[in-house]
Amino acid sequence: MVQRNDVLDFMRETAYKPMTYQELEKYFQIESAQDFKDFIKLLNELENEGHIIRTRTERYGVPERMNLLRGKLQAHAKGFGFLIPEERDHPDVYIHANDMGGAMNGDIILVRITTKSAAGGKLEGEVVRVVNRANTQIVGLFQMNEGYAFVIADDKRVVRDIFIPKDSFNGAMDGHKVVVRIVTYPEGRAAAEGEVIEILGHKNDPGVDIISVIRKHQLPETFPDEVLAEATEVPEVIAETDLVGRRDLRNKRIVTIDGEDAKDLDDAVNVELLENGNYLLGVHIADVSYYVHEGAPLDREAYNRGCSVYLVDRVIPMLPHRLSNGICSLNPQVDRLTMSCEMEFDANANVVRHDVFTSVIKTSERMTYTNVRKLLSGDAEPELTEKYAYLMDDFRLMEELAMRLRGRRMKRGAIDFDFEESKILVNESGKPTDIVKRERTIAEQIIEEFMLAANETVAEHFHWMKVPFLYRIHEDPDSEKLMHFMEFITNFGYAVRGKGNTVHPRALQTLLEEIKGTKEETVISKVMLRSMKQAKYDAQSTGHFGLAAEFYSHFTSPIRRYPDLIIHRVMREVLEKGGMDDKRHEYLSARMDDIAKQSSERERVAVDAERETEALKKAEYMMDKVGEEFEGMISSVTSFGIFVELDNTVEGLIRLSDMHDDYYHYHEAQHALIGERTSKIYRLGDELKVRVARVSMEDHTIDFEMVDMKPRQQKVSLVGALKAVRGGDKQRGRGGRSASAAAGGRGARGGDRERSAAEGARSGRRGKGGTGATASAGSAGGGKSRKPRKGASAGAAVGAGAPRGTGADAAKARALDAAPVKGAGEAGRSGPRRRKKKQAKK
């Protein structure tokens, strides 16, 4: 029987010319009637999926040979979008708003390339066909009219309102938050039409805000009955038969160290000092794969969810609580099945021996970060010291080893961002009561270093075994974004050594150490983070730039991340059977790319949902603080205003239209606004005194107005900064204005202005485009763009782990990837004041 890959490979050959189905039938030597039916069915499937195209002359070929590209649409609130090609190395394709062809964000589409830049790097195209619709339902605000209604989508990338006929209201009233099912999709000038399928409540009702986010991202709140039924069958205690072939570690002093509010304890550790003076570190991870069988309902549901999602006031788990908080949680003083990685380190923290095996453990204590910190710092209460006296030597040994591991990691060049992270406290009704900062103490660092060491060791071990595996990779920064970053830091008197358009992570870490404790530390760290790509999962090990690691995987959290569960399954199969046969190897190898892609996509959904709930709760927290004054620091400078971050991590926008004392030019490379008349400079890192002017609960945004400003102590003179700015602009041929400001301002035709905005909008995705800053959906109207989640560690900043999100566990998770952030590249101002100025000059 002809397989789909046989057809696609044949059509991709250079010598192939489009054939009819009869010619293809003859080529593949199809003889029986049943084989012919199956072949026609295969051609139809490939055509429906957009993998092949049927021409007007009934001939078949692949899209790429017909000047077409297949990929996913990334839409923007201003109406334009980008095709994200399925071919990994192919550049993105810009799509003008008029060429979207009714496609919506997330759709799988076919695009025809219409324009190429001289160098071939920047492409424009038009949507030829929507292959697969990503949006079947939309969450939004119901606005009733006489005889009909519209739903304004919460997702600003859905730029057209959804028309609702009267017979599809289904009880919805004006002001309700609703879920609508799309009945017909937009076509030409016609809007999409839908019907209300769920009423979430009035927009101001308690709890409706979080429920709206959950529905918007289509996060599953409950488990299907078959999944719960399977979970119920999982035993609550370990049987003797479960221990066959496992190494018994129940006599060792093993502890878990987590946040106070953590319930899914999936990792435990122990450290011993060997007779030869070396350290023996044991990292023991819950053996979830023993209970979640391949292809079973639990496994399919975990694959679909991808990871647990940690929202402000709740957790949406990957696995039912019976497993995640029960038999799979490494609770104290009970037997638990684990996958263990033991590593022997010499005095220089080099791994001289390691072993990976299945095991059974019984943890001695359920420790918290707070208590471990107190014990090691000497701040513990007498009763706490007495209770854990028998573990004190172990904790001191853990601290000693962790600091050696960290020192070795820093020496090889790992990048260690140390951003402050906050936690939003809410009451029983979900109303935010306070925003508190989380500390990254020695306790968090111990677990962080131990998990990083285990993840690297496991990745390298199974890489050399040449078995199908999933890796966590972090690609080198985009050379253009890196160049902009290196240009930016010269404004502060710093430089990074590199070779050509590349730089070793050690050079970036050296810079972070150099700026430690300075006023510009936060600013430079954030811009550096924005210049990097996002970490992701891959079936091939290509290294982790941020960690300066050749091999890296996610092994330590199978309760909350599907990739960890998958590699546990592979590991246990190899360890118990001594390997895998060719058929099994081929099957798993074929699946890994799909699992990597699915897991990366689900991770992004989780991060977006977590950020959105944080943004809305921060906005709600500031609602009763309108008129109050705060000290803050400029966290981003854009063409439409200045974002200021307060000490409590709340961020707001000072709109350019509210800065009445001068006309300001936006200088993209310097991340600065400079006054035309007064020569005032507002730049990243400057301290400001601001007043809360407005809070929008619909957009989850906060507007500030300027009260006073404290200029930052600069390493270069004001005159020098202005010369640098003007010199850079003259090179761009724009005199006193930057190229980006000009593109979005006077005299620019609409398409150029939109394209300028678009180039910035895509810069945070896959490291493409502008200067490493991306304005969000609401930017054109001065809306606030999404800000990356504050990370806690090296892995946090560059993708060592997926979001954990509860308590101090965020440090342990190393959650934040180098993520798209706001700012540079958006269209410039073209408001009334600019037009008047232009007329005056005429």
Side-chain angles (χ1 to χ4, degrees):
M1 181 179 174
V2 181
Q3 302 296 321
R4 58 195 297 134
N5 284 342
D6 298 332
V7 176
L8 294 174
D9 291 343
F10 175 56
M11 292 184 180
R12 287 171 181 151
E13 290 179 4
T14 307
Y16 176 80
K17 293 182 179 179
M19 293 183 177
T20 64
Y21 75 86
Q22 295 97 332
E23 291 170 330
L24 289 168
E25 174 193 2
K26 184 177 180 180
Y27 173 82
F28 286 109
Q29 299 177 357
I30 297 172
E31 296 179 356
S32 72
Q34 185 58 47
D35 286 347
F36 176 74
K37 287 181 181 178
D38 293 339
F39 181 65
I40 296 299
K41 182 180 178 183
L42 175 61
L43 290 178
N44 288 335
E45 287 177 358
L46 290 172
E47 183 185 0
N48 291 335
E49 294 169 7
H51 291 296
I52 64 175
I53 300 293
R54 183 171 50 170
T55 68
R56 295 174 185 172
T57 57
E58 300 295 322
R59 296 179 179 273
Y60 292 90
V62 287
E64 55 264 40
R65 298 288 301 278
M66 299 181 176
N67 197 33
L68 297 177
L69 268 180
R70 187 180 191 271
K72 180 179 286 189
L73 175 65
Q74 179 178 286
H76 190 274
K78 293 182 71 177
F80 60 83
F82 287 95
L83 172 79
I84 313 304
E86 290 184 343
E87 296 178 40
R88 182 181 300 180
D89 298 326
H90 199 288
D92 300 346
V93 181
Y94 167 77
I95 304 170
H96 190 279
N98 295 337
D99 297 324
M100 294 285 274
M104 301 174 71
N105 184 61
D107 288 350
I108 303 298
I109 57 176
L110 291 176
V111 166
R112 176 180 292 110
I113 307 298
T114 56
T115 307
K116 288 186 179 181
S117 65
K122 295 180 180 179
L123 307 175
E124 295 190 19
E126 60 182 359
V127 176
V128 172
R129 177 179 156 205
V130 177
V131 174
N132 185 39
R133 291 286 186 179
N135 304 281
T136 57
Q137 54 190 51
I138 298 290
V139 178
L141 182 65
F142 190 85
Q143 289 192 342
M144 187 184 296
N145 294 282
E146 291 184 13
Y148 65 93
F150 280 98
V151 169
I152 303 171
D154 286 355
D155 188 346
K156 303 305 177 188
R157 294 170 300 185
V158 180
V159 294
R160 298 189 192 180
D161 300 341
I162 313 297
F163 174 76
I164 313 293
K166 191 169 185 178
D167 58 358
S168 298
F169 287 7
N170 295 330
M173 301 294 289
D174 197 56
H176 273 159
K177 274 296 187 75
V178 298
V179 181
V180 298
R181 181 177 67 84
I182 298 179
V183 178
T184 59
Y185 287 90
E187 187 173 345
R189 294 182 176 275
E193 184 177 318
E195 63 173 346
V196 176
I197 59 173
E198 184 180 7
I199 299 171
L200 304 179
H202 191 272
K203 63 179 182 179
N204 296 327
D205 289 348
V208 169
D209 50 3
I210 298 289
I211 291 293
S212 296
V213 173
I214 291 172
R215 292 290 189 277
K216 172 184 171 181
H217 294 282
Q218 298 185 35
L219 301 175
E221 284 189 280
T222 59
F223 287 94
D225 292 339
E226 61 175 356
V227 173
L228 294 175
E230 186 183 356
T232 304
E233 295 173 2
V234 174
E236 293 183 333
V237 294
I238 306 298
E240 283 298 319
T241 54
D242 299 328
L243 307 184
V244 176
R246 291 181 179 271
R247 196 175 301 181
D248 193 340
L249 304 179
R250 287 176 288 185
N251 62 334
K252 289 183 177 285
R253 288 195 305 273
I254 299 174
V255 297
T256 59
I257 306 177
D258 292 90
E260 281 82 355
D261 51 358
K263 296 181 177 62
D264 50 352
L265 314 179
D266 51 9
D267 53 77
V269 296
N270 72 294
V271 177
E272 302 171 23
L273 192 61
L274 302 177
E275 291 182 3
N276 61 3
N278 287 350
Y279 303 90
L280 182 67
L281 167 63
V283 175
H284 316 281
I285 309 300
D287 190 357
V288 180
S289 66
Y290 187 80
Y291 302 101
V292 180
H293 304 294
E294 186 175 5
L298 273 171
D299 182 49
R300 292 197 301 270
E301 184 67 14
Y303 168 84
N304 290 333
R305 295 185 177 220
C307 59
S308 296
V309 185
Y310 295 83
L311 305 180
V312 169
D313 63 347
R314 73 197 72 187
V315 178
I316 300 176
M318 185 179 79
L319 297 171
H321 289 300
R322 183 179 173 87
L323 275 77
S324 61
N325 297 356
I327 193 67
C328 293
S329 185
L330 306 182
N331 300 326
Q333 301 297 331
V334 291
D335 292 351
R336 286 293 183 259
L337 304 183
T338 48
M339 300 286 294
S340 294
C341 177
E342 280 191 348
M343 297 155 280
E344 181 181 338
F345 295 95
D346 62 18
N348 296 319
N350 296 307
V351 180
V352 296
R353 178 182 62 85
H354 75 273
D355 195 9
V356 182
F357 53 91
T358 58
S359 56
V360 55
I361 67 170
K362 180 187 284 187
T363 57
S364 303
E365 298 286 352
R366 188 262 199 249
M367 300 300 300
T368 65
Y369 292 127
T370 301
N371 286 344
V372 172
R373 176 189 60 79
K374 287 181 178 179
L375 290 166
L376 288 173
S377 64
D379 296 335
E381 300 81 3
E383 56 270 23
L384 195 66
T385 303
E386 182 180 351
K387 180 178 180 181
Y388 298 120
Y390 77 106
L391 290 173
M392 278 307 302
D393 288 342
D394 291 352
F395 292 144
R396 292 191 185 99
L397 207 57
M398 288 181 186
E399 179 181 13
E400 189 177 310
L401 175 58
M403 292 302 97
R404 288 176 185 265
L405 288 170
R406 173 179 163 76
R408 180 177 178 274
R409 194 162 56 82
M410 294 298 101
K411 187 177 180 181
R412 80 182 183 199
I415 303 172
D416 185 29
F417 292 98
D418 192 12
F419 296 125
E420 290 182 325
E421 187 176 285
S422 64
K423 180 179 181 179
I424 303 169
L425 305 180
V426 297
N427 59 22
E428 293 180 359
S429 63
K431 183 178 176 62
T433 57
D434 199 5
I435 301 175
V436 296
K437 288 186 178 180
R438 294 173 176 157
E439 285 188 87
R440 182 191 178 195
T441 69
I442 183 60
E444 284 88 352
Q445 289 183 53
I446 286 172
I447 293 301
E448 175 184 318
E449 295 300 334
F450 290 176
M451 297 304 116
L452 287 170
N455 283 334
E456 286 187 47
T457 301
V458 166
E460 183 171 7
H461 180 94
F462 286 91
H463 171 79
W464 293 117
M465 291 194 74
K466 300 188 183 304
V467 295
F469 215 65
L470 278 183
Y471 299 92
R472 183 71 168 177
I473 68 167
H474 184 223
E475 297 167 302
D476 292 353
D478 179 79
S479 59
E480 185 179 355
K481 296 178 82 172
L482 193 61
M483 181 186 68
H484 281 289
F485 169 71
M486 294 171 78
E487 180 183 345
F488 167 70
I489 61 174
T490 60
N491 293 295
F492 298 88
Y494 297 104
V496 171
R497 292 182 179 180
K499 189 175 182 181
N501 289 330
T502 62
V503 65
H504 191 278
R506 186 186 297 111
L508 298 178
Q509 177 57 29
T510 301
L511 174 63
L512 290 178
E513 292 169 359
E514 190 177 350
I515 63 176
K516 192 76 175 175
T518 65
K519 193 77 92 173
E520 58 265 22
E521 177 185 3
T522 301
V523 176
I524 293 178
S525 297
K526 286 182 177 180
V527 178
M528 183 191 296
L529 178 61
R530 295 168 192 175
S531 72
M532 294 185 183
K533 295 184 180 180
Q534 295 175 354
K536 60 182 179 181
Y537 297 104
D538 202 288
Q540 305 300 319
S541 178
T542 58
H544 198 293
F545 178 82
L547 295 173
E550 186 177 358
F551 306 99
Y552 196 72
S553 65
H554 273 173
F555 157 72
T556 53
S557 295
I559 289 178
R560 62 186 182 88
R561 292 189 305 227
Y562 192 70
D564 304 53
L565 174 59
I566 282 293
I567 71 167
H568 273 226
R569 188 173 290 151
V570 172
M571 291 166 63
R572 196 157 57 82
E573 185 172 335
V574 171
L575 293 171
E576 291 178 352
K577 298 180 180 178
M580 59 178 64
D581 58 38
D582 292 343
K583 187 175 181 180
R584 177 66 172 163
H585 191 288
E586 184 180 351
Y587 169 74
L588 286 176
S589 296
R591 280 209 65 204
M592 287 304 176
D593 282 328
D594 173 67
I595 294 172
K597 183 180 178 182
Q598 162 75 0
S599 299
S600 296
E601 288 177 354
R602 293 308 302 169
E603 180 186 36
R604 296 313 308 162
V605 170
V607 169
D608 288 346
E610 289 168 3
R611 289 177 183 168
E612 191 166 346
T613 55
E614 285 185 6
L616 73 87
K617 287 302 177 186
K618 284 182 176 180
E620 186 178 356
Y621 177 73
M622 299 298 288
M623 279 286 288
D624 59 358
K625 295 171 179 57
V626 173
E628 293 185 25
E629 296 179 1
F630 297 89
E631 298 283 345
M633 177 183 286
I634 295 178
S635 57
S636 183
V637 181
T638 76
S639 59
F640 52 86
I642 300 170
F643 285 96
V644 177
E645 183 177 303
L646 308 184
D647 188 56
N648 62 4
T649 73
V650 167
E651 191 176 48
L653 172 67
I654 301 176
R655 298 175 186 272
L656 205 60
S657 56
D658 292 335
M659 298 171 67
H660 302 296
D661 62 329
D662 201 349
Y663 171 71
Y664 289 91
H665 294 287
Y666 170 53
H667 295 271
E668 187 175 25
Q670 284 72 28
H671 296 255
L673 290 177
I674 299 183
E676 188 173 277
R677 179 178 56 82
T678 62
S679 295
K680 281 185 180 178
I681 298 179
Y682 293 105
R683 192 164 57 179
L684 274 171
D686 288 339
E687 294 180 358
L688 295 176
K689 191 171 185 180
V690 298
R691 183 182 298 111
V692 182
R694 294 173 293 275
V695 177
S696 169
M697 287 307 299
E698 287 187 4
D699 297 327
H700 312 154
T701 58
I702 301 159
D703 281 2
F704 293 148
E705 56 189 13
M706 202 175 301
V707 176
D708 192 10
M709 180 179 180
K710 298 177 182 177
R712 177 180 46 75
Q713 295 295 321
Q714 300 177 4
K715 288 200 168 190
V716 293
S717 68
L718 180 62
V719 173
L722 285 168
K723 283 183 178 179
V725 170
R726 287 169 181 157
D729 287 336
K730 285 177 182 177
Q731 291 176 3
R732 294 177 175 84
R734 291 289 180 179
R737 291 178 294 128
S738 71
S740 61
R746 307 179 184 122
R749 63 184 179 87
D752 290 339
R753 187 162 56 249
E754 186 181 71
R755 180 64 190 251
S756 173
E759 288 302 329
R762 72 170 180 173
S763 64
R765 205 208 64 77
R766 296 203 309 181
K768 307 274 184 184
T771 59
T774 301
S776 79
S779 61
K784 180 181 180 298
S785 58
R786 287 182 188 151
K787 183 180 189 302
R789 229 171 131 262
K790 301 269 182 196
S793 66
V798 290
R804 184 143 184 170
T806 56
D809 287 323
K812 185 174 178 180
R814 300 160 303 280
L816 177 64
D817 286 342
V821 284
K822 39 180 189 310
E826 274 298 342
R829 293 172 65 249
S830 54
R833 188 154 43 130
R834 172 169 282 191
R835 288 194 294 272
K836 287 178 182 177
K837 193 170 185 67
K838 183 178 179 182
Q839 291 166 1
K841 285 194 173 185
K842 285 184 180 179

